[in-house]
């Protein structure tokens, strides 16, 4: 039976960032499943259209990829999401792939990065490996994407757990809670004089470059500096972190082993 591995991410239009993050994750996931052929899909229609228009590069949506796999005779498909939370993008993948479930003898889906209590603990350990050495009065601030979906609470949960474990970092979100002004007010009252800004996103794309690290009036860097807190941006996506790549590999194999247990 032909076996496939479909790795699904939001996507990026930055080729170097794609290589460092998405390709790095795909490579390790594929190496962990040597009996499967690797395929890629993006969930962002905007990025897919941009790559086609700018570079004449075609990237499949999850539905297109699955239809292609069925046409090629693949009957056992493992799908791994590279999304951070169980939000709209991940739920969209689940809904869409179920419409083509009947085309395959076996299909499993690996969960996003933050899907269990253990994931939060493992993520903090992974993030510690990429954080700079901090001096007194310094902290790291991670920028998450945020969501209108109720899963946005994952960012506040991670922020709370960092505080509970005295982890020297905070978490905010671009599009939901915790907002950056909440973090700024809290860190000022704590006496923090300098922060290191890092993306809590798979890739360091537009949000990291523009909303976090730029000199724009409303960027996180500028907002921190405006109140006298020095801000140093780091443009490193989570996909560059080996420990985080290992978490995605673990999620894939958890899904594969659970499906075998059900079959048994």
């Amino acid at each position: 039976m032909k076996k496939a591995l479909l790795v699904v991410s939001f996507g990026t239009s930055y080729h170097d960032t794609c290589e460092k993050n998405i390709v790095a994750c795909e490579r390790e996931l594929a190496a962990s499943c040597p009996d499967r052929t690797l395929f890629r899909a993006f969930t962002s229609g905007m990025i897919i259209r941009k790559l086609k228009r700018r570079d004449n590069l075609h990237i499949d949506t999850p539905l297109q990829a699955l239809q292609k796999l069925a046409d090629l005779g693949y009957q056992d498909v493992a799908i791994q999401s590279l999304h951070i939370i169980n939000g709209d993008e991940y739920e969209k993948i689940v809904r869409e792939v179920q419409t083509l479930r009947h085309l395959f003898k076996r299909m499993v889906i690996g969960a996003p990065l933050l899907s269990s209590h253990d994931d939060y603990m493992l993520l903090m350990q992974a993030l510690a490996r990429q954080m700079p050495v901090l001096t007194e009065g310094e902290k790291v601030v991670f920028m998450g994407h945020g969501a209108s979906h109720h899963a946005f609470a994952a960012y506040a949960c991670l922020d709370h757990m960092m505080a509970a474990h005295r982890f020297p970092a905070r978490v905010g979100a671009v599009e939901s809670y915790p907002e950056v002004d909440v973090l700024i007010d809290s860190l000022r009252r704590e006496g923090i004089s300098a922060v290191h800004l890092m993306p809590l996103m798979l890739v360091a794309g537009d949000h990291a470059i523009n909303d976090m690290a730029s000199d724009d009036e409303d960027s996180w860097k500028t907002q921190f500096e405006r109140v006298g807190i020095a801000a140093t941006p780091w443009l490193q996506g989570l996909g560059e972190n080996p420990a985080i790549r290992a978490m995605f590999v673990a999620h894939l194999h958890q899904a594969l082993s659970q499906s075998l247990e059900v079959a048994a």
Side-chain angles (χ1 to χ4, degrees):
M1 188 162 59
K2 293 177 69 176
K3 296 181 178 182
L5 168 63
L6 176 61
V7 181
V8 182
S9 63
F10 182 80
T12 181
S13 61
Y14 295 88
H15 292 304
D16 58 337
T17 300
C18 183
E19 187 70 26
K20 291 177 183 176
N21 295 275
I22 295 174
V23 173
C25 289
E26 291 172 342
R27 189 179 295 121
E28 291 198 21
L29 287 162
S32 77
C33 297
D35 59 335
R36 294 180 180 272
T37 306
L38 174 66
F39 295 87
R40 170 188 294 170
F42 287 174
T43 58
S44 172
M46 178 184 67
I47 289 173
I48 289 172
R49 290 189 295 273
K50 181 174 182 178
L51 290 171
K52 182 65 177 177
R53 182 180 65 250
R54 188 190 69 191
D55 306 324
N56 197 30
L57 176 63
H58 175 77
I59 303 292
D60 288 328
T61 65
L63 277 179
Q64 289 170 338
L66 286 172
Q67 187 61 61
K68 178 188 294 182
L69 293 180
D71 293 342
L72 291 171
Y74 287 92
Q75 286 293 294
D76 182 334
V77 180
I79 303 167
Q80 178 57 49
S81 161
L82 296 184
H83 293 82
I84 308 303
I85 63 172
N86 289 262
D88 288 318
E89 292 290 323
Y90 178 67
E91 287 189 351
K92 179 182 176 185
I93 296 170
V94 174
R95 284 195 309 270
E96 288 187 347
V97 302
Q98 291 306 324
T99 66
L100 298 182
R101 177 69 182 81
H102 64 282
L103 298 178
F104 305 97
K105 290 183 179 178
R106 182 187 185 209
M107 177 191 289
V108 301
I109 305 177
L113 191 69
L114 289 174
S115 297
S116 71
H117 176 269
D118 286 347
D119 289 337
Y120 288 80
M121 301 302 297
L122 288 170
L123 179 58
M124 284 193 285
Q125 294 172 23
L127 293 175
R129 295 177 56 171
Q130 71 180 58
M131 289 163 55
V133 176
L134 302 174
T135 60
E136 187 176 351
E138 285 189 319
K139 275 197 175 178
V140 175
V141 173
F142 289 96
M143 171 191 269
H145 187 280
S148 56
H149 188 278
H150 58 77
F152 83 88
Y155 299 105
C157 179
L158 180 60
D159 184 57
H160 186 277
M161 288 179 71
M162 286 179 171
H165 290 273
R166 289 181 166 77
F167 190 77
R170 298 294 304 271
V171 178
V174 181
E175 297 183 2
S176 58
Y177 184 84
E179 297 99 338
V180 66
D181 56 348
V182 172
L183 299 186
I184 290 172
D185 183 58
S186 175
L187 292 170
R188 284 181 72 188
R189 284 187 280 108
E190 193 181 330
I192 296 299
S193 58
V195 295
H196 296 265
L197 304 175
M198 291 186 166
L200 191 73
M201 305 174 186
L202 182 72
V203 303
D206 284 330
H207 281 305
I209 294 167
N210 299 316
D211 299 322
M212 187 189 80
S214 76
D215 293 322
D216 292 349
E217 186 177 341
D218 59 350
S219 77
W220 284 26
K221 175 176 176 286
T222 301
Q223 290 185 62
F224 273 102
E225 291 176 341
R226 191 180 296 134
V227 298
I229 299 176
T232 303
W234 298 73
L235 293 176
Q236 174 182 336
L238 294 181
E240 296 183 50
N241 187 321
I244 287 173
R245 296 197 297 270
M247 289 178 66
F248 283 123
V249 170
H251 283 196
L252 171 63
H253 286 275
Q254 182 179 23
L256 285 167
S257 63
Q258 287 174 347
S259 74
L260 288 174
E261 291 169 7
V262 170

